Amino acid sequence: CIRDRYQRRVRGLRMPNFPSLLLFSLSIFFFPTVLSSSPPCGPWNEEREVLVALFGSTSGSNWLNSFLWLEPFSDHCNWFGITCNEQHQVVNISLPFNGLSGSLPAHFLEKLTQLETFSVPRNRLSGLVPSSLSQLLKLRSLDLSENSFDRIEDGFGFAKESSFQDLNLAFNLFRTLPEDLLRSSAEGFQSLNLSHNALTDLPSTISEVRSLTSLDVSYNEKLHIPTSMWSLENLQVLVMNMLGLQEIDPQIANMK
């Protein structure tokens, strides 16, 4: 790391005369910003690499705001849209309506082990939603709404022990969802927004999300509702506008 290399040089300096002392003093005067702003060593560098990959795969040079991103010696925790905890680990990525385009990096995001929120709505992202996002056990909220995603990678599913609560996939181009998305989902999974897509079926495993309290499937005109959905005993909000249903399943009366 830059900081360690510099500190080793400082410790190794010998100052036998006044010119050397003056040079040393000037270096201390001009370099503190480098030492204080350069990223720490160890796993933090891996997280920085993840963010660099995100920047590259989403056309970062065209973002509306990319303040400090990729600046030499800058601390990635100070980059626009990034929040870190006291241990200098990334816990929040929030880049809504910021001109992101392209796709999400497939095999990097799992290194952000402390990530709690990933929010990139109202951008121009497309393609595949990587399953690595669902492997983040600390992730609580994932907002990919108002983009052009059309597929979710097989194996995408939240483990029971994860902290996940809120998934927003509204206003995208999804036609199908993988069964694993809702199978054995996190015990705190409360809100799911699938509105304004092109879905034709919901995974039958939706009945396994017992903790779900809010579900929006509106504006999926050809969507078939599985009978298993009516067993969601904790559901409090159900939005089904513009589904093109010919009739309402009488089992809906069994919902509390």
Side-chain angles (χ1 to χ4, degrees), residues 161-181:
E161 64 271 20
S162 77
S163 304
F164 197 76
Q165 299 178 1
D166 179 18
L167 177 60
N168 191 344
L169 301 176
F171 290 92
N172 277 285
L173 303 174
F174 296 113
R175 293 183 178 275
T176 60
L177 300 174
E179 290 286 322
D180 289 337
L181 175 63

Side-chain angles (χ1 to χ4, degrees), residues 96-247:
F97 193 48
N98 199 42
L100 280 69
S101 62
S103 59
L104 297 177
H107 301 295
F108 289 90
L109 294 171
E110 66 268 19
K111 295 181 181 178
L112 301 178
T113 57
Q114 302 303 308
L115 190 66
E116 298 177 4
T117 303
F118 187 78
S119 178
V120 290
R122 301 186 68 188
N123 284 290
R124 299 189 301 275
L125 296 169
S126 60
L128 185 73
V129 177
S131 61
S132 57
L133 279 170
S134 68
Q135 298 168 16
L136 301 173
L137 296 182
K138 296 293 183 68
L139 190 67
R140 293 185 292 104
S141 177
L142 176 59
D143 189 351
L144 305 178
S145 61
E146 297 187 62
N147 282 284
S148 296
F149 293 108
D150 58 6
R151 290 168 294 142
I152 298 178
E153 186 177 10
D154 290 338
F156 189 110
F158 302 102
K160 281 186 176 296
E161 64 271 20
S162 77
S163 304
F164 197 76
Q165 299 178 1
D166 179 18
L167 177 60
N168 191 344
L169 301 176
F171 290 92
N172 277 285
L173 303 174
F174 296 113
R175 293 183 178 275
T176 60
L177 300 174
E179 290 286 322
D180 289 337
L181 175 63
L182 302 173
R183 179 179 284 120
S184 300
S185 289
E187 295 182 354
F189 195 171
Q190 298 178 352
S191 177
L192 175 60
N193 191 339
L194 301 171
S195 67
H196 295 84
N197 278 283
L199 294 170
T200 56
D201 289 287
L202 288 179
S204 59
T205 51
I206 192 170
S207 61
E208 297 184 23
V209 194
R210 298 289 185 181
S211 57
L212 202 64
T213 60
S214 176
L215 174 62
D216 189 344
V217 294
S218 57
Y219 292 89
N220 289 280
E221 296 184 3
K222 297 182 180 180
L223 181 65
H224 172 260
I225 302 293
T227 56
S228 59
M229 195 179 82
W230 309 125
S231 63
L232 294 173
E233 55 188 24
N234 291 310
L235 198 63
Q236 300 175 15
V237 177
L238 175 60
V239 185
M240 299 194 304
N241 298 337
M242 298 298 293
L243 291 187
L245 297 175
Q246 299 298 316
E247 58 182 14

